[in-house]
Amino acid sequence: DNNEKWFASAPSKETLKHWFSSKDVDELQSLGYEIFEFEVDNYREVSEFEYVFTRASVVSQTILEKNDIWKD
């Protein structure tokens, strides 16, 4: 692993709802955080709700809007 930093992620937009509520997202976004969707070429499955990947494995990234996931 060459001491690479691993980043935690949800495997899908739907799964992300298990991590954060709509209110959590409002709070995080008010602090400057964003929601990213990453395409990666290498990852490890930690559980059905969590995958990890390294920065080097990122092929592309897209900033998502809250209403792309939470419909409240």
Side-chain angles (χ1 to χ4, degrees):
D1 291 329
N2 300 332
N3 294 323
E4 288 193 77
K5 222 176 173 181
W6 289 82
F7 296 90
S9 67
S12 68
K13 293 175 190 174
E14 194 60 35
T15 307
L16 196 57
K17 293 182 196 178
H18 292 276
W19 285 34
F20 302 102
S21 70
S22 176
K23 184 178 176 184
D24 292 334
V25 175
D26 289 338
E27 216 171 287
L28 288 166
Q29 288 186 319
S30 76
L31 296 170
Y33 290 93
E34 307 222 47
I35 306 163
F36 286 91
E37 181 174 50
F38 292 95
E39 179 184 345
V40 297
D41 59 14
N42 187 26
Y43 66 90
R44 293 184 184 166
E45 187 174 339
V46 176
S47 73
E48 67 178 300
F49 296 106
E50 182 181 6
Y51 290 2
V52 294
F53 63 93
T54 64
R55 181 63 64 191
S57 68
V58 175
V59 175
S60 67
Q61 67 184 40
T62 306
I63 296 176
L64 301 178
E65 297 298 324
K66 178 187 167 194
N67 61 9
D68 290 336
I69 302 168
W70 290 267
K71 314 276 191 216
D72 47 87

